[in-house]
């Protein structure tokens, strides 16, 4: 099924909650401010009307959290067609969580994520714009990152104690972002 919603947090969150893996949620053109984190735990397609048309300002930490449960099926996930902005020092997107380690008991490697044709920007000192946790792989393409310090942070916790070298990510392979 395909869902259609306005850009306000309550409407988008309701669609995400009720959607099942494989569903598409189309978010119409418009602007909204989200003060709560949009938590996505399943493989869905969240599609805006274009980065010049669907504009989300977030004050939440993070704005969106793609955090499938341990053992979740490797279903496709896509985030496309938005402009996300923040003035906080929090990330806009959390990609995975500390429990997504591919070595965790009963965990599946999540390889089918795509984040494309978005704008991520801060008007403050947000760094990074994307927190990336081990065990969640995929492709980021055709995005614009306007970051104060840097766009991405590979981490195993919220303080950034571990980085790329601890994950076994090899750029250009299926074991990479």
């Amino acid at each position: 099924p395909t869902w259609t919603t306005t850009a306000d947090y309550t409407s988008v969150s309701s669609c995400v909650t009720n959607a099942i893996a494989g569903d598409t949620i189309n978010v119409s053109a418009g602007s909204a401010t989200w003060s709560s984190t949009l938590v996505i735990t399943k493989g869905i397609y969240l599609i805006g009307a274009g980065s010049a048309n669907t504009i989300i300002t977030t004050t939440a930490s993070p704005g969106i959290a793609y955090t499938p449960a341990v053992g979740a099926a490797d279903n496709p996930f896509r985030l496309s067609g938005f402009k996300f902005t923040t003035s906080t020092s929090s990330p806009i997107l959390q990609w995975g969580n500390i429990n997504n380690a591919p070595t965790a008991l009963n965990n599946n490697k999540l390889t089918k994520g795509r984040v494309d044709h978005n704008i991520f920007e801060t008007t403050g000192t947000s760094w990074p714009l994307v927190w990336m946790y081990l065990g969640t792989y995929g492709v980021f393409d055709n995005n614009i990152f306007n970051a104060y310090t840097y766009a991405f942070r590979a981490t195993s916790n919220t303080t950034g104690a571990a980085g790329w070298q601890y994950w076994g990510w090899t750029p250009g392979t299926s074991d990479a972002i």
Side-chain angles (χ1 to χ4, degrees), residues 64-139:
I64 296 177
Y66 172 55
T67 58
V70 169
D74 190 12
N75 291 312
F77 170 79
R78 184 175 182 201
L79 178 65
S80 181
F82 291 89
K83 177 179 182 181
F84 296 104
T85 186
T86 187
S87 61
T88 70
S89 59
S90 302
I92 293 173
L93 176 62
Q94 175 181 324
W95 188 253
N97 64 47
I98 197 166
N99 298 316
N100 288 127
T103 56
L105 183 64
N106 298 319
N107 202 11
N108 295 327
K109 193 169 162 183
L110 302 172
T111 63
K112 298 177 183 172
R114 181 178 183 200
V115 178
D116 65 287
H117 296 90
N118 299 290
I119 297 173
F120 296 88
E121 72 176 14
T122 181
T123 57
T125 57
S126 176
W127 57 273
L129 296 174
V130 179
W131 277 111
M132 302 172 77
Y133 287 79
L134 55 149
T136 308
Y137 304 83
V139 175

Side-chain angles (χ1 to χ4, degrees), residues 10-170:
T10 301
S11 298
V12 174
S13 180
S14 177
C15 287
V16 167
T17 298
N18 291 302
I20 60 171
D23 284 2
T24 298
I25 300 170
N26 292 310
V27 182
S28 62
S31 298
T33 298
W34 295 356
S35 58
S36 297
T37 300
L38 180 67
V39 178
I40 303 171
T41 60
K42 52 198 156 198
I44 60 171
Y45 298 83
L46 186 62
I47 311 296
S51 62
N53 301 313
T54 306
I55 301 167
I56 306 298
T57 300
T58 181
T59 59
S61 179
I64 296 177
Y66 172 55
T67 58
V70 169
D74 190 12
N75 291 312
F77 170 79
R78 184 175 182 201
L79 178 65
S80 181
F82 291 89
K83 177 179 182 181
F84 296 104
T85 186
T86 187
S87 61
T88 70
S89 59
S90 302
I92 293 173
L93 176 62
Q94 175 181 324
W95 188 253
N97 64 47
I98 197 166
N99 298 316
N100 288 127
T103 56
L105 183 64
N106 298 319
N107 202 11
N108 295 327
K109 193 169 162 183
L110 302 172
T111 63
K112 298 177 183 172
R114 181 178 183 200
V115 178
D116 65 287
H117 296 90
N118 299 290
I119 297 173
F120 296 88
E121 72 176 14
T122 181
T123 57
T125 57
S126 176
W127 57 273
L129 296 174
V130 179
W131 277 111
M132 302 172 77
Y133 287 79
L134 55 149
T136 308
Y137 304 83
V139 175
F140 282 68
D141 67 278
N142 294 290
N143 296 289
I144 296 172
F145 295 94
N146 295 320
Y148 175 72
T149 307
Y150 47 88
F152 294 90
R153 177 78 184 239
T155 188
S156 64
N157 60 39
T158 57
T159 61
W164 311 104
Q165 70 271 23
Y166 300 109
W167 292 20
W169 278 358
T170 305

